[in-house]
Amino acid sequence: MSARGKFITFEGIDGAGKSTQIAAVRAFLEERGIEVVLTREPGGTPLAEKIRGMLLHEGMGATAETLLFFAARADHIERVIAPALCRGAWVLSDRFTDATYAYQVGGKGYPGACVEAIERIVQGELQPDHTVLFDIEPEEAARRLASAREPDRFESEGVRFFTNVRNAYLERARRSAGRFFIVSTMQPPEGVRQELLKEVGSWL
């Protein structure tokens, strides 16, 4: 029977530069013969991708929004994450529950206790083995986003919103310091990549 795989999540405010670095981690692991499952949240399954479309483009209240994030996550865990971990694969997920906490609690002012209660219901004992938090000044993230693509409903929020989201991420990281690796993406991408792959190598 295969040993359980590792569950690695990647977090940060919009514009933090996650995508390129996640690809580098995937290549690093696959070069070492590790099966990698690359996924994202919200999304990762047909149902969860439909929910993603609703979340990114349709206005709704904070409670409905929070519950939809976790509905997508429940399907994602059942259909993708848990089976992959059971067969020994490493799951790399672009966002997970830390994002829901940061955006809903920090950004929207939703009660943290409510998010944590739903988290326990949906995830049980499941938590990422490691979480990479790409940290960036919100003003710089906004500048990068403005030149990258048409913003979705969340990306259209202002600097104050993302400052609050960033602070909530950092609070969550302080509370789970053993799980988080924080890397500044204010530096050039190559510096980020070197720091990140050195850390990932220590998880092998």
Side-chain angles (χ1 to χ4, degrees), residues 45-94:
T45 70
L47 174 61
E49 290 292 336
K50 290 178 183 177
I51 296 174
R52 179 187 179 89
M54 297 167 61
L55 285 164
L56 295 186
H57 303 294
E58 296 186 21
M60 64 188 74
T63 297
E65 201 171 71
T66 302
L67 292 171
L68 282 175
F69 275 118
F70 276 105
R73 182 162 300 129
D75 194 60
H76 191 205
I77 291 169
E78 180 181 350
R79 297 179 183 274
V80 175
I81 296 172
L85 293 175
C86 283
R87 70 173 182 265
W90 284 41
V91 177
L92 309 184
S93 184
D94 184 348

